[in-house]
């Protein structure tokens, strides 16, 4: 699990190694590269799986400065350069998907395909902005208080009674998540640009969209709109009963179409 020094950060990277086609995984808000354990378990025998903890997340040592999703794009390119990878498939979940879209727009030559999980291309509605800001101020002042953390866990992972093991895994991580890190990651979300439809139509890479039908964070309609705009997207995978982190909660529904998509690129 190397640390890659780039752009003033010490980026934590999990690299399965090997000679298989490379796949870069970009995690969602409040998560880290471990959220792709169910995918790496099935893909690593044949693919080189690379997971990057983004700034202010996981085990990456962040410089404490404000950052944007385009800074995260630069970090991904730096990791590819450090690992001497010309082009990879990128799998982005939620915030990681927002980064993946911007990576595809700025550096399409570094990608072989893009997988977007629980992702939208438009900015969040104003009402959602207000919720982000309120949560940011509470976390900055008081940390992961129970009511806030439990509400976010329900939205991101799903109800506790249906996902008890995942709650037990991720809640202790969240309890240690610093207020400054939470605020910086929130600001990167709040300040992201609204990608116009025409820009998305210009992403001609092979694409796969995956979305939980019960997603509370990014409604299914947003994923459907994204899939309809991407010229290279032939399939949207709708997972019944799944919330936001569908790859983590429902790998049995996500992994087969992901494997089929990757096979189609050979």
């Amino acid at each position: 699990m190397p640390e890659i020094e780039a752009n003033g950060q010490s980026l934590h990277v999990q690299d399965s190694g090997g000679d298989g086609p490379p796949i870069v995984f970009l995690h969602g808000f409040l998560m880290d590269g471990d959220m792709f354990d169910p995918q790496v378990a099935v893909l690593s025998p044949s693919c080189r799986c690379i997971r990057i903890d983004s700034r202010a997340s996981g085990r990456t040592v962040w410089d404490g400065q404000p950052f944007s999703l385009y800074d995260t794009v630069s970090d991904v390119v730096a990791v590819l350069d450090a690992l001497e990878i010309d082009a990879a498939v990128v799998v982005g979940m939620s915030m990681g998907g927002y980064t993946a879209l911007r990576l595809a727009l700025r550096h399409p030559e570094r990608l072989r395909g893009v997988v977007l999980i629980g992702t939208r291309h438009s900015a969040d509605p104003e009402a959602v902005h207000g919720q982000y800001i309120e949560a940011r101020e509470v976390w900055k002042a008081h940390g992961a208080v129970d009511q806030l953390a439990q509400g976010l866990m329900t939205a991101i992972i799903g109800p506790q009674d249906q996902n008890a093991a995942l709650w037990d895994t991720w809640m202790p991580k969240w309890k240690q998540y610093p207020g400054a890190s939470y605020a910086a990651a929130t600001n990167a979300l709040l300040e992201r640009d609204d990608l116009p439809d025409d820009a998305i139509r210009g992403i001609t890479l092979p694409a796969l969209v995956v979305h939980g039908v019960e997603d509370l964070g990014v409604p299914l309609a947003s994923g459907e709109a994204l899939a309809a705009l991407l010229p290279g997207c032939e399939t949207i995978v709708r997972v019944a009963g799944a919330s936001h982190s569908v790859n983590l909660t429902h790998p049995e529904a996500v992994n087969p179409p992901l494997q089929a998509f990757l096979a189609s690129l050979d």
Side-chain angles (χ1 to χ4, degrees):
M1 298 184 186
E3 309 301 320
I4 292 179
E5 305 298 323
N7 303 323
Q9 320 301 315
S10 181
L11 301 168
H12 183 79
V13 178
Q14 300 179 68
D15 182 2
S16 69
D19 298 325
I23 306 170
V24 174
F25 294 90
L26 305 177
H27 62 80
F29 179 68
L30 269 178
M31 309 301 279
D32 59 40
D34 291 348
M35 77 169 303
F36 294 107
D37 281 351
Q39 286 68 57
V40 173
V42 299
L43 294 175
S44 59
S46 57
C47 299
R48 183 178 181 182
C49 297
I50 299 153
R51 294 180 272 178
I52 306 170
D53 286 358
S54 66
R55 300 188 192 197
S57 299
R59 287 149 286 188
T60 280
V61 181
W62 159 61
D63 64 4
Q65 297 302 308
F67 62 92
S68 72
L69 295 181
Y70 290 104
D71 292 318
T72 309
V73 167
S74 296
D75 292 343
V76 176
V77 172
V79 169
L80 291 175
D81 289 344
L83 298 179
E84 299 182 341
I85 295 171
D86 292 330
V89 175
V90 63
V91 177
M93 183 271 161
S94 189
M95 190 171 183
Y98 307 156
T99 299
L101 286 170
R102 289 158 177 81
L103 179 63
L105 288 168
R106 289 210 168 173
H107 301 281
E109 76 284 354
R110 304 305 299 266
L111 299 181
R112 297 179 58 241
V114 59
V115 179
L116 302 162
I117 303 170
T119 298
R120 65 175 3 134
H121 65 288
S122 58
D124 296 307
E126 282 302 315
V128 175
H129 273 222
Q131 294 169 3
Y132 276 136
I133 292 169
E134 182 180 357
R136 180 191 68 191
E137 296 309 303
V138 170
W139 204 297
K140 279 173 60 179
H142 306 291
V145 297
D146 287 345
Q147 183 176 0
L148 173 57
Q150 290 168 8
L152 286 166
M153 189 74 69
T154 300
I156 292 174
I157 290 180
Q160 184 175 15
D161 60 350
Q162 299 173 27
N163 302 279
L166 291 173
W167 276 56
D168 290 346
T169 296
W170 288 96
M171 189 63 80
K173 290 189 178 189
W174 288 13
K175 290 292 185 180
Q176 299 300 315
Y177 200 83
S181 298
Y182 185 97
T186 298
N187 291 340
L189 284 175
L190 289 173
E191 296 164 8
R192 75 182 190 273
D193 51 336
D194 190 5
L195 298 179
D197 290 359
D198 284 348
I200 302 303
R201 292 189 186 100
I203 299 174
T204 58
L205 293 159
L208 175 68
V209 171
V210 179
H211 221 99
V213 172
E214 308 301 327
D215 193 333
L216 301 176
V218 178
L220 174 61
S222 295
E224 292 175 332
L226 181 58
L229 290 170
L230 288 164
C233 182
E234 297 182 357
T235 303
I236 176 171
V237 179
R238 301 173 181 85
V239 182
S243 186
H244 195 44
S245 298
V246 58
N247 65 291
L248 186 60
T249 59
H250 293 70
E252 72 287 348
V254 173
N255 288 349
L258 175 59
Q259 289 173 295
F261 174 74
L262 296 171
S264 73
L265 303 179
D266 294 340

